Amino acid sequence: MKTLIIGGGVVGLSLAYGLTKRNEDVVVVCGSDEDYNASRGNFGLIWSQGKGLGCPEYSQWTQKSISLWPSFAEELAKLTGIDVELSLDGGMEYFTNKHEMEDFIESLHKVKKSNSDSQTYKYLNHEQLKLCVPEIGPKVLGATFMPGDGHVNPLQLLTALREGVRLGGAKIFNGSRVKRVYRSGDLYNAQLDDNKELSASRVIIAAGLGSADLAPMMGFKGTVVPQQGQLLITEKLPQFLKYPSGTIRQVNDGGIQIGGSTLDRGLDNKECIKTVSELASHAVDVFPCLEEVNLLRSWACLRVMTEDGFPIYQESKTNPGAFFITCHSGITLAAIHSVLLTEWIVGSERSPDLSMFSEERFNV
Amino acid sequence: MFERININENQVDKLSFTFDGKVVSAYQGDTVAAALLGAGYKCFRETPVLGLNRNPYCMMGSCYDCLVSIGGRNVQSCMVECEQGMVVERVSHTKLTGIRPHEVS
Ligand SMILES: Cc1cc2nc3c(=O)[nH]c(=O)nc-3n(C[C@H](O)[C@H](O)[C@H](O)COP(=O)(O)OP(=O)(O)OC[C@H]3O[C@@H](n4cnc5c(N)ncnc54)[C@H](O)[C@@H]3O)c2cc1C
Ligand code: FES
């Protein structure tokens, strides 16, 4: 069966990768460089810490994806020769504010209670933390540690997925956008910018923020909400940070990446001095040794959020074979998307129950 | 490796500065990177993680391969004009941050 995937971000490509591995016939329309591309500007964490409050299934799904990551990364490396720089040595969240820390610990506690399979977090006070991360500054009250969390090079991941999909025999349309998607009989058709038409018996809309226009054409609600995040990267330093955190991580070539801002700015994807300096000063509070280090670059990027922050995996009721797929944390979920979500799309006997991630939850 | 072109020796002002404690002569208007290349330096610094040799690549401030330390800060040597008596050092991240690299696997 031929599958047309609309969207060349990490979500569309993880599915394309999973499908080509199953020897499915796949066509991917990647969109243009002018689109909002969350997969090219994100923080690169493989992260469960703090996720899944109010949705134990999401916590389980995330955990399961993390457990699939080592074999996923290995397989990509073997197939494409590209190292995605995975490390899963555990993740820290550093706190300089007492209330924030207490609230966060409470939410970790609740998530753990609702999903007993989830990893057990650990709280470290300043003194305990200092023993394993000696660089922390005096303003750090403590940290929570989640074993098994980690990070990856998100650009290498995107490159490896594209290469894997290409080697898997998929046809990839670079730089083209779909302007209309419609059904005719048993086929789904996509009309590209240059009026070229593609058709397939299955269509997956995974166009990030671009899905807001496309998904309603297939009868989905298609609500995706932009949330801006800003990121900074410093000059390269010797490797010293073993554990990434939600706001600070050291990338493979030595730069310190700083991020974690969340702003509702609509479709504005420009960074601003105020946020950049807030992020930088938090990083210096946590690691005073960064004070004299140069920033090289900063950028802003839009997260693709759903109304409740959990993924949407929906097959159309009226147009069977038409799917709308979106999530925040597409890096963390890339591994499971390429395996279990793919099984669900093709309806195999290994298909998981994903009904809690249906778009229908927003209809009440 | 590099040599100066079309220079009338009588029309330029010369100056000198030190790099890593050694005297380097330069012409007024040279960037530190140009002067060091002119003086034959083939390695300005080593990368902090793998220890690979680096010297200028873009000469226009965007690749950061030409970093040196001036006045206690790491700066792109291709963006700084030479001054008489300037003290230029090799970058040392340990000096800058106090960080001693850990065994990070
Ligand atoms: C600042 C920031 C930090 C983040 N940090 C993390 C993190 O640490 N860990 C993590 O797991 N996740 C993180 N994320 C989230 C993660 O980046 C996203 O979940 C993921 O990239 C979403 O991928 P996507 O494919 O859905 O969307 P995108 O990457 O936005 O891709 C959408 C694709 O659709 C294409 N497209 C759009 N419209 C059309 C059209 N009409 N026709 C054809 N193609 C079209 C675009 O060109 C693009 O290729 C972060 C995101 C941001 C912004
Ligand atoms: S040579 Fe590229 S920044 Fe100086």
Side-chain angles (χ1 to χ4, degrees):
Chain A
M1 185 192 276
K2 188 161 172 176
T3 304
L4 172 67
I5 297 178
I6 308 176
V10 73
V11 172
L13 289 175
S14 298
L15 287 171
Y17 178 71
L19 287 166
T20 52
K21 261 182 33 184
R22 294 183 59 100
N23 292 320
E24 299 266 339
D25 186 7
V26 176
V27 178
V28 191
V29 183
C30 282
S32 92
D33 285 348
E34 274 80 59
D35 289 328
Y36 302 103
N37 280 294
S39 305
R40 298 187 200 170
N42 66 80
F43 202 68
L45 296 175
I46 312 263
W47 213 244
S48 70
Q49 183 164 194
K51 285 182 184 163
L53 188 60
C55 183
E57 293 87 354
Y58 181 51
S59 161
Q60 283 156 5
W61 186 244
T62 298
Q63 203 80 62
K64 176 94 182 142
S65 189
I66 295 176
S67 70
L68 292 170
W69 250 102
S71 57
F72 176 57
E74 200 179 289
E75 184 188 280
L76 279 173
K78 215 179 266 166
L79 177 66
T80 66
I82 297 167
D83 175 10
V84 298
E85 299 166 12
L86 174 70
S87 105
L88 295 174
D89 293 329
M92 291 278 183
E93 289 290 6
Y94 301 103
F95 293 93
T96 52
N97 176 303
K98 189 153 180 277
H99 291 293
E100 266 177 33
M101 182 166 85
E102 286 166 357
D103 288 352
F104 191 73
I105 292 175
E106 192 182 317
S107 73
L108 290 181
H109 182 71
K110 283 187 186 151
V111 171
K112 177 68 194 168
K113 246 172 82 178
S114 71
N115 169 21
S116 54
D117 298 338
S118 77
Q119 293 269 15
T120 305
Y121 68 91
K122 217 158 60 190
Y123 167 69
L124 302 166
N125 66 24
H126 182 91
E127 286 69 33
Q128 294 164 325
L129 181 59
K130 191 103 190 159
L131 293 176
C132 46
V133 188
E135 293 82 8
I136 54 159
K139 290 189 187 157
V140 179
L141 303 172
T144 52
F145 177 73
M146 187 67 93
D149 280 359
H151 55 162
V152 74
N153 179 328
L155 297 178
Q156 292 287 83
L157 171 63
L158 204 61
T159 312
L161 281 173
R162 283 177 64 99
E163 182 62 4
V165 168
R166 190 187 68 80
L167 290 169
K171 192 155 172 37
I172 302 179
F173 287 83
N174 288 314
S176 5
R177 307 187 80 245
V178 171
K179 58 180 180 190
R180 194 160 84 90
V181 50
Y182 62 98
R183 177 175 177 178
S184 72
D186 286 341
L187 287 180
Y188 295 102
N189 298 323
Q191 189 181 25
L192 306 188
D193 270 344
D194 60 2
N195 291 329
K196 188 178 165 62
E197 297 258 346
L198 301 171
S199 67
S201 23
R202 190 190 281 136
V203 64
I204 301 175
I205 299 170
L209 291 172
S211 294
D213 294 330
L214 296 170
M217 296 180 198
M218 280 286 110
F220 300 102
K221 204 169 160 225
T223 308
V224 278
V225 189
Q227 182 199 59
Q228 198 213 57
Q230 301 190 17
L231 281 86
L232 329 173
I233 189 119
T234 72
E235 63 180 302
K236 297 164 181 59
L237 300 176
Q239 286 290 345
F240 75 101
L241 257 188
K242 184 171 162 86
Y243 306 110
S245 84
T247 53
I248 307 166
R249 74 180 185 101
Q250 187 165 25
V251 305
N252 233 30
D253 64 9
I256 304 290
Q257 189 171 293
I258 301 164
S261 65
T262 53
L263 292 166
D264 292 323
R265 294 248 168 112
L267 292 173
D268 171 11
N269 64 350
K270 296 277 177 300
E271 74 271 38
C272 61
I273 293 290
K274 180 169 177 284
T275 304
V276 166
S277 56
E278 283 167 6
L279 290 173
S281 70
H282 170 73
V284 170
D285 282 348
V286 177
F287 294 117
C289 59
L290 297 178
E291 173 117 48
E292 296 297 324
V293 172
N294 290 311
L295 280 184
L296 297 196
R297 278 182 292 282
S298 59
W299 66 95
C301 188
L302 301 177
R303 297 183 182 87
V304 187
M305 301 302 286
T306 58
E307 290 165 80
D308 59 6
F310 306 126
I312 294 175
Y313 305 134
Q314 179 74 53
E315 177 169 12
S316 167
K317 289 267 150 60
T318 46
N319 297 311
F323 295 83
F324 168 43
I325 305 291
T326 192
C327 70
H328 177 54
S329 296
I331 306 301
T332 306
L333 297 178
I336 204 162
H337 285 173
S338 78
V339 181
L340 289 182
L341 188 61
T342 304
E343 302 285 348
W344 179 79
I345 298 259
V346 301
S348 81
E349 68 284 359
R350 289 182 56 208
S351 169
D353 174 13
L354 296 178
S355 52
M356 66 300 255
F357 297 122
S358 147
E359 202 187 24
E360 284 156 28
R361 67 186 188 270
F362 302 115
N363 287 344
V364 280
Chain B
M1 189 162 56
F2 290 93
E3 60 188 68
R4 298 187 183 268
I5 48 171
N6 295 335
I7 287 282
N8 181 342
E9 289 281 336
N10 301 322
Q11 282 177 7
V12 289
D13 292 324
K14 300 220 176 112
L15 54 83
S16 67
F17 64 96
T18 62
F19 179 52
D20 215 18
K22 297 199 182 67
V23 177
V24 178
S25 60
Y27 291 0
Q28 190 79 48
D30 280 356
T31 62
V32 172
L36 291 175
L37 287 174
Y41 281 92
K42 295 207 174 78
C43 170
F44 285 26
R45 67 181 183 100
E46 289 170 355
T47 59
V49 177
L50 297 178
L52 303 174
N53 291 353
R54 283 292 181 272
N55 67 6
Y57 179 67
C58 71
M59 293 296 274
M60 57 181 220
S62 62
C63 73
Y64 289 76
D65 267 342
C66 64
L67 289 176
V68 296
S69 170
I70 299 175
R73 297 200 80 97
N74 292 344
V75 294
Q76 298 121 290
S77 57
C78 69
M79 302 304 284
V80 179
E81 207 172 297
C82 294
E83 286 168 25
Q84 173 60 37
M86 196 176 222
V87 178
V88 182
E89 291 177 287
R90 289 190 188 269
V91 296
S92 160
H93 289 102
T94 305
K95 222 190 274 171
L96 184 71
T97 61
I99 294 168
R100 309 230 156 252
H102 297 192
E103 284 289 317
V104 177
S105 54

